[in-house]
Amino acid sequence: MDILYRLGRATASEVRGQLPGDPAYSTVRAQLRVLEEKGHLRHEEQGLRYVYLPKVRREKLQRSVLMYMIETFFEGSPEKAVATLLGKGGSDVSEEQLDRMSALIEKAKKEGKRK
């Protein structure tokens, strides 16, 4: 999906060319088909080729993926996800990033965006 968001539209060959390693063309086509079945992208026919385009805005997909990860790996707890991010390996989070996260939390509190 990241490749399609960057390029805007691409054929399976173009997607394959952007991937690391040397995945088989049939593998890339199969993955694109699965993403299309899930509603994440669509295709247009140009001659004999399919050109794939994102169907869902990046922000919506990011939220969906994040919520899935929180449910799957953090028992549905955003707090546990943040604690993991900021835990022992959290040294990768800069002071500026922490300040921005704090500001977002304060804004959410003021807007009443809590359960």
Side-chain angles (χ1 to χ4, degrees), residues 25-73:
Y25 177 79
S26 60
T27 302
V28 174
R29 281 290 308 266
Q31 187 62 50
L32 290 169
R33 187 177 57 251
V34 168
L35 289 169
E36 187 169 20
E37 288 170 0
K38 290 185 175 192
H40 299 305
L41 55 87
R42 64 183 179 87
H43 74 270
E44 296 175 352
E45 293 183 39
Q46 287 186 347
L48 298 175
R49 302 181 322 163
Y50 279 10
V51 178
Y52 294 91
L53 303 97
K55 189 174 176 181
V56 177
R57 286 189 354 257
R58 180 183 279 249
E59 296 79 18
K60 184 176 180 182
L61 186 59
Q62 286 172 332
R63 181 163 178 78
S64 174
V65 169
L66 181 59
M67 296 312 293
Y68 174 79
M69 288 179 56
I70 289 171
E71 286 296 323
T72 303
F73 298 107

